Amino acid sequence: MVDTENFTKVAEVGDIPEGEGEGFDVNGIEIAVFNTGDNYYAISNRCSHQRAPLCKAGDRKINAEDTWTEERGGVDTEACTVSCPWHLWEWDLETGEHEASGQRIGTFDCVVEDGDVLVQL
């Protein structure tokens, strides 16, 4: 069992649908929490490429319809990755790594306890 004394509740189980993410401000730090069905993962909410909000991965796009698809990016629950909605950079939810560039973004401990999704910064 994890000592959750230094964790912050961000959601309840079921608040974030499987295969999606949601953005949160935790003590002034912008994070995104993703539900892969088996686990919840917390990472920095901003792609290091051009600061796109990763929590918007898979959202419907309302601009540039002539060149963009209906949805951009998304969560791959099997590979445990999220793709940036702007330029499709793929981030590992466990390590925060973008394999092609070797860049990393912050990851945070995320646990579920008594139906609450908790994050430690």
Side-chain angles (χ1 to χ4, degrees):
M1 184 166 189
V2 176
D3 178 9
T4 57
E5 181 178 334
N6 295 317
F7 282 71
T8 301
K9 177 182 175 181
V10 293
E12 294 180 3
V13 170
D15 287 350
I16 304 169
E18 183 176 339
E20 294 184 22
E22 189 169 328
F24 299 95
D25 181 307
V26 179
N27 300 325
I29 298 175
E30 197 176 342
I31 66 167
V33 177
F34 294 94
N35 176 0
T36 63
D38 295 329
N39 289 301
Y40 288 84
Y41 294 91
I43 65 172
S44 171
N45 190 36
R46 295 292 172 170
C47 179
S48 69
H49 176 229
Q50 289 188 349
R51 309 281 303 143
L54 294 177
C55 69
K56 300 292 185 184
D59 280 5
R60 183 178 185 279
K61 298 302 168 196
I62 60 173
N63 60 348
E65 284 101 9
D66 58 327
T67 58
W68 288 47
T69 60
E70 185 72 13
E71 296 179 352
R72 293 287 289 188
V75 178
D76 184 331
T77 58
E78 290 183 26
C80 198
T81 60
V82 62
S83 294
C84 175
W86 289 1
H87 301 107
L88 302 178
W89 281 38
E90 188 174 79
W91 297 96
D92 186 294
L93 291 172
E94 293 178 322
T95 66
E97 182 179 12
H98 176 253
E99 188 175 322
S101 70
Q103 292 184 35
R104 289 186 186 271
I105 58 175
T107 59
F108 308 94
D109 290 335
C110 187
V111 298
V112 173
E113 185 173 287
D114 298 327
D116 294 332
V117 180
L118 310 169
V119 174
Q120 181 183 38
L121 301 184

